Amino acid sequence: MRVLMFGWEFPPHIAGGLGTACYGIVKGLAYNGVETIFVMPSASGDEDQSVARIINASDVPVDVRQDLTADFLDKVKFVHIGSNMVPYCDPDSFSDLVEEERKRQEKDFRILYGQKYKFSGKYGSNLMEEVARYAMVGGTIAVHHKDEFDVIHAHDWLTYYAGIAAKQLTGKPLVIHVHATSFDRGSADNIDTRVYEIERNGMLAADRVITVSDLTRNIVISKYGIDPAKVVTVHNAVDFSGRDDIVVERGVKDKVVTFLGRITFQKGPEYFIEAAAKVLKRTTGVRFVMAGSGDMMNRAILHVARLGISDRFHFTGFLRGADVQKMFALSDVYVMPSVSEPFGISPLEAMRTGVPSVISKQSGAAEVLRYAFKVDFWDVDAMADKIYGLLMYPSLAKFAAREGFDEVNTLKWNNAAAKIKKVYESVVNK
């Protein structure tokens, strides 16, 4: 079995859990005898090519072997409306705007044809433009490597149009992987409708949809109207290979409670801060660490200051690689208070390091972790009680650490990848 896979990031250069998951999946597929061509917008050259053949989209000139630009754009079936679009216009004006945009696309494509587009591979202000360009380059790559893969696999909304282009131009089956939805990144009444449409188009075009949890599967079915028969859950896992017992020296004798993730609404940082304040009213021998960055970081800092716990609270900024493992090694308790978490790999990584974890019931990880302590994200009193208990009762902490380690040791990417391989076989054989 051979797969053409579209991703957005790949270790060692990652911005979040998506790159980590892609790497685990690719390694697991290699273990299960699946060859992967992994396409990413901007490769650095130091990615692990022992498990996949990496193609840097920035090195590929657009050449889809189509006689007409319009024909290609019609096959890809997307219209990229720029972010500078006027917010209010009547239906006739909107139709004119769409037609102007279509003509501009054709003009831009002719200019781009035969040339390379340098992707940033980031999540900046020109993200929608990069998503559209990635679809064009993805189509080119699929055509040129048509005889080298059996199935197409696209991760998250950033790559869905590339996956659709590859399917339309080669006729190969498409599997899309939903790691998060618009309803996880924002409230139900405040989603990015452009992203929602890309997500829904990807799901409708796909032969199979893989979700990282039953929680996400239910969202895909109920919010996007996707046929339940083609939506399958494959839970994420954790990588145990190369695990070393990291020895770190603490600068303080206090216990350490850690939040590690993006400091955004979805991750529930304010609930972690509220719980920290409640714990600190009961004991002083503990410090709280918020490791990460995001659009709520300044707000979180002010929140900590208003509660008067700044001397017990630390902000590290974004951590990656070995620094993440060091942070877990320094921690006595890990907390993931996410408001909405499709899965959440970080508690698996914490428990892999022997750190007992408190996670929100509103997470996919809660479906597979028996020995993580679960609370509703909004119940800061229960969250504080769980944290306090793990800090104050050593036997409870040792039990949670031991059982948690054994539990996540069974959640391997090799097993998850075996399920993904079966999904591939179902669409290829069909």
Side-chain angles (χ1 to χ4, degrees), residues 35-303:
E35 299 177 13
T36 302
I37 299 175
F38 190 90
V39 184
M40 58 190 301
S42 181
S44 300
D46 55 352
E47 292 81 12
D48 183 1
Q49 299 216 32
S50 67
V51 294
R53 176 182 169 191
I54 305 292
I55 293 182
N56 182 6
S58 294
D59 289 339
V60 179
V62 174
D63 173 13
V64 292
R65 297 181 183 174
Q66 297 290 320
D67 294 331
L68 298 174
T69 299
D71 185 39
F72 168 73
L73 293 174
D74 182 63
K75 278 183 165 33
V76 173
K77 295 188 184 303
F78 72 87
V79 174
H80 170 231
I81 296 294
S83 58
N84 60 343
M85 186 176 123
V86 293
Y88 302 104
C89 60
D90 56 45
D92 290 337
S93 298
F94 181 78
S95 297
D96 292 341
L97 185 63
V98 171
E99 180 61 21
E100 290 174 8
E101 180 66 17
R102 185 188 64 77
K103 291 178 179 178
R104 185 194 64 76
Q105 276 193 40
E106 289 188 20
K107 180 181 177 182
D108 287 355
F109 182 81
R110 289 191 185 98
I111 295 172
L112 184 68
Y113 191 88
Q115 299 182 26
K116 299 175 183 177
Y117 181 81
K118 292 299 179 183
F119 295 91
S120 70
K122 305 297 183 184
Y123 301 88
S125 59
N126 67 331
L127 183 58
M128 284 296 182
E129 178 186 351
E130 294 216 334
V131 168
R133 302 291 195 189
Y134 194 45
M136 293 180 180
V137 178
T140 294
I141 293 170
V143 170
H144 281 287
H145 297 274
K146 182 177 180 180
D147 296 330
E148 300 174 36
F149 64 91
D150 306 297
V151 62
I152 304 156
H153 189 157
H155 290 280
D156 229 8
W157 71 271
L158 298 157
T159 75
Y160 288 172
Y161 276 161
I164 293 173
K167 176 179 179 177
Q168 294 290 345
L169 294 166
T170 66
K172 300 293 180 71
L174 170 64
V175 174
I176 73 157
H177 208 133
V178 183
H179 296 266
T181 71
S182 291
F183 297 93
D184 300 304
R185 290 181 286 268
S187 59
D189 56 352
N190 186 31
I191 64 170
D192 189 325
T193 55
R194 299 172 303 169
V195 174
Y196 173 85
E197 283 302 316
I198 293 174
E199 290 172 331
R200 188 166 186 272
N201 288 339
M203 295 173 193
L204 289 172
D207 296 272
R208 285 288 187 280
V209 177
I210 296 176
T211 58
V212 295
S213 63
D214 290 332
L215 175 71
T216 303
R217 182 177 185 270
N218 291 335
I219 291 174
V220 165
I221 294 167
S222 62
K223 300 292 187 182
Y224 294 84
I226 306 304
D227 180 3
K230 76 172 188 178
V231 188
V232 59
T233 295
V234 177
H235 290 103
N236 281 335
V238 67
D239 189 358
F240 263 75
S241 65
R243 180 183 182 274
D244 296 316
D245 291 324
I246 300 174
V247 179
V248 293
E249 184 176 345
R250 294 194 185 192
V252 294
K253 295 181 179 179
D254 297 325
K255 297 291 183 70
V256 176
V257 181
T258 299
F259 166 109
L260 190 148
R262 288 179 289 109
I263 306 178
T264 62
F265 170 81
Q266 176 194 353
K267 301 296 183 179
E270 65 270 40
Y271 301 105
F272 177 72
I273 294 169
E274 289 287 345
K278 290 181 178 295
V279 171
L280 289 170
K281 287 181 179 179
R282 300 163 73 176
T283 180
T284 57
V286 57
R287 293 174 183 266
F288 291 82
V289 175
M290 185 165 280
S293 60
D295 58 11
M296 286 184 65
M297 186 165 186
N298 288 341
R299 179 174 167 180
I301 292 171
L302 291 173
H303 194 173

